[in-house]
Amino acid sequence: AKQAKQALQQHRAAGAVKDPRLDFLAIALSGKEVNFGKVIDQISTMVALLKKEQTDDDEKKAYCGESFDQAEDEEKALSRKKGKIETAIAQSKEVMAGLVSDIESITASIKELDQQVAEATELRKSQNAAFKQELAENTAAKELLGIAKNRLFKFYSPSQYVAPKEQELSEEDQIFTKFGGTPPPTEAPGGIAGTGVEVAVSFAQIRRHSSLESKAAPPPPPETFGAYSKKAEESNGVLAMIDLLIKDLDKDMTEGTTEEKNSQADYESFMADSAEKRKLDSEALANKESAKADAEESLLASQEEHKSTMQELMANGEMTANLHKECDWLLKHFDVRKQARSDEIDSLKKASAVLSGADYSFVQIAHERRLRGARA
């Protein structure tokens, strides 16, 4: 009974910590009939459990520390990654804005060039049509003047007159006329005044090549007027005027042909330069559009990566919050709980020693006496 009472006193010395298992042990020691062996076994079990609990707390504390460190490191790494991605997104957007501006500029340049080519082509067509019209009119005028000159030769210089070609009869007409038939009548030449010249040439077309009023001699009057003494003298003025007109027409046609060739050469050079510029612009446009597509793809990838990183950051934040819920109470009370378990274990060991037959208080007093003797 004395040993049970002393063991109970040792147990109550650790009463600061409330534990149902210790309360049950106190009840067992308070009974009149105490089975010391069973109580000692219970105390041993209690000590082992307390040590295991402390080991679990130690491991849990280490786990919490490592988890907090890992979460903090991961949060820093994700934050750095997030910053880099946001920088990449900003750069991609800036690159895309520049590419869009370049594409718009090149597209506008190609459109303007196409417009210039279309206008130059229409102008060249109109110039060529005007040249052909003028050339046809000048040719017709020259031919008409040649006919007029030939007819003047018939009057003034028959030796220089060129008669029109005889009508060529068909084989049927030749047989018909051979047997005394009358040949078919010669068709009158068409064109201007029966000359065969088809192009409508106005009198102004011829007049603009000379000042007819001031330079040309008057037409020869009938011989009864006696205006000229010789036919050669009569024809000189008119023939000279016609030759001058023909010369002016030749000059105009030569200049017009040269100008047409130069205009055509300039047009072909412009078209070649335009084609080369359009080719280069089209290649540049294709390159810019390809670069824009790559930039868009890179931007989308960065945005997806940014979204994923933000999700990882949120998950890391949730994990950290759960760690705080799981670990904060333990870390806050770890030292107190560790000291309390140490005190409990110490008290339980003392109680077990008392129950095993050792007077713990006597041993403690003898130990203190030895210490005082050693000091003396």
Side-chain angles (χ1 to χ4, degrees):
K2 181 180 179 181
Q3 290 174 329
K5 185 178 181 180
Q6 289 178 345
L8 183 60
Q9 289 176 349
Q10 293 296 330
H11 163 64
R12 288 174 177 172
V17 178
K18 302 298 182 181
D19 191 326
R21 296 168 298 185
L22 297 179
D23 293 339
F24 174 76
L25 184 60
I27 294 172
L29 292 173
S30 299
K32 293 182 179 180
E33 295 182 1
V34 181
N35 186 341
F36 289 166
K38 185 175 181 180
V39 173
I40 290 171
D41 290 339
Q42 290 178 346
I43 290 174
S44 298
T45 302
M46 284 286 297
V47 170
L49 287 174
L50 290 171
K51 288 182 177 181
K52 184 179 183 305
E53 288 177 356
Q54 185 59 46
T55 300
D56 291 343
D57 278 3
D58 291 339
E59 292 177 354
K60 187 67 175 289
K61 180 183 179 183
Y63 159 78
C64 289
E66 292 176 359
S67 297
F68 277 123
D69 290 342
Q70 183 178 356
E72 183 179 359
D73 292 341
E74 185 175 354
E75 191 275 335
K76 289 179 180 179
L78 290 172
S79 296
R80 287 193 296 269
K81 182 180 179 181
K82 172 176 169 288
K84 291 180 179 179
I85 295 173
E86 290 174 348
T87 300
I89 289 175
Q91 291 176 345
S92 295
K93 288 182 177 180
E94 184 178 355
V95 169
M96 283 187 59
L99 289 171
V100 168
S101 177
D102 292 343
I103 289 172
E104 291 176 351
S105 177
I106 295 173
T107 302
S109 176
I110 291 176
K111 184 177 180 180
E112 181 181 1
L113 180 62
D114 290 344
Q115 181 65 27
Q116 291 175 353
V117 168
E119 292 176 357
T121 299
E122 289 301 318
L123 178 61
R124 181 83 279 274
K125 287 180 179 179
S126 65
Q127 289 174 343
N128 181 256
F131 163 74
K132 289 179 178 178
Q133 177 66 24
E134 184 177 2
L135 182 64
E137 292 175 354
N138 286 340
T139 301
K142 181 179 177 181
E143 186 178 350
L144 189 62
L145 288 172
I147 293 173
K149 183 178 179 180
N150 188 54
R151 289 186 178 181
L152 287 175
F153 281 147
K154 183 179 181 181
F155 178 74
Y156 291 110
S157 181
S159 61
Q160 292 181 286
Y161 173 72
V162 179
K165 293 181 180 180
E166 295 182 0
Q167 181 182 11
E168 293 183 2
L169 299 177
S170 65
E171 184 177 355
E172 182 180 351
D173 290 337
Q174 289 177 4
I175 296 173
F176 180 74
T177 55
K178 183 177 181 181
F179 289 96
T182 302
T186 303
E187 294 183 1
I192 302 172
T195 61
V197 180
E198 298 294 336
V199 178
V201 183
S202 65
F203 182 63
Q205 181 72 14
I206 300 175
R207 283 187 60 189
R208 73 184 182 89
H209 296 286
S210 66
S211 54
L212 186 60
E213 295 80 2
S214 60
K215 294 183 179 180
E223 292 185 4
T224 56
F225 286 87
Y228 299 99
S229 59
K230 295 181 181 179
K231 286 185 178 181
E233 293 177 357
E234 294 172 354
S235 65
N236 284 341
V238 176
L239 293 175
M241 179 195 69
I242 292 176
D243 288 339
L244 181 60
L245 290 174
I246 291 174
K247 183 179 179 181
D248 287 344
L249 288 171
D250 286 337
K251 181 180 179 182
D252 279 357
M253 286 189 289
T254 300
E255 290 178 352
T257 301
T258 301
E259 184 177 350
E260 170 66 13
K261 288 181 179 179
N262 292 337
S263 297
Q264 182 64 23
D266 291 342
Y267 171 74
E268 290 175 358
S269 177
F270 168 74
M271 292 298 290
D273 293 342
S274 298
E276 181 64 20
K277 185 177 187 303
R278 199 181 196 288
K279 177 184 176 183
L280 295 176
D281 287 349
S282 298
E283 291 176 353
L285 181 62
N287 292 334
K288 295 291 184 180
E289 289 177 341
S290 176
K292 179 175 175 288
D294 292 341
E296 288 176 344
E297 184 178 354
S298 176
L299 177 61
L300 289 175
S302 296
Q303 289 174 338
E304 287 296 324
E305 189 176 7
H306 183 267
K307 180 180 178 181
S308 174
T309 303
M310 291 300 297
Q311 291 174 346
E312 290 182 36
L313 276 170
M314 291 178 62
N316 180 266
E318 292 177 0
M319 184 184 71
T320 301
N322 291 331
L323 280 174
H324 280 293
K325 291 178 182 179
E326 182 181 1
C327 299
D328 282 358
W329 187 89
L330 173 66
L331 296 176
K332 180 179 179 180
H333 300 92
F334 178 81
D335 293 337
V336 174
R337 285 163 58 84
K338 183 177 182 179
Q339 184 62 46
R341 285 197 186 96
S342 178
D343 292 343
E344 288 178 15
I345 291 171
D346 185 59
S347 298
L348 288 172
K349 286 181 177 180
K350 291 177 180 178
S352 178
V354 170
L355 292 175
S356 297
D359 189 348
Y360 178 80
S361 59
F362 176 77
V363 173
Q364 182 69 18
I365 292 171
H367 177 67
E368 290 177 356
R369 285 178 178 176
R370 285 197 298 273
L371 288 175
R372 285 196 295 270
R375 290 172 183 172

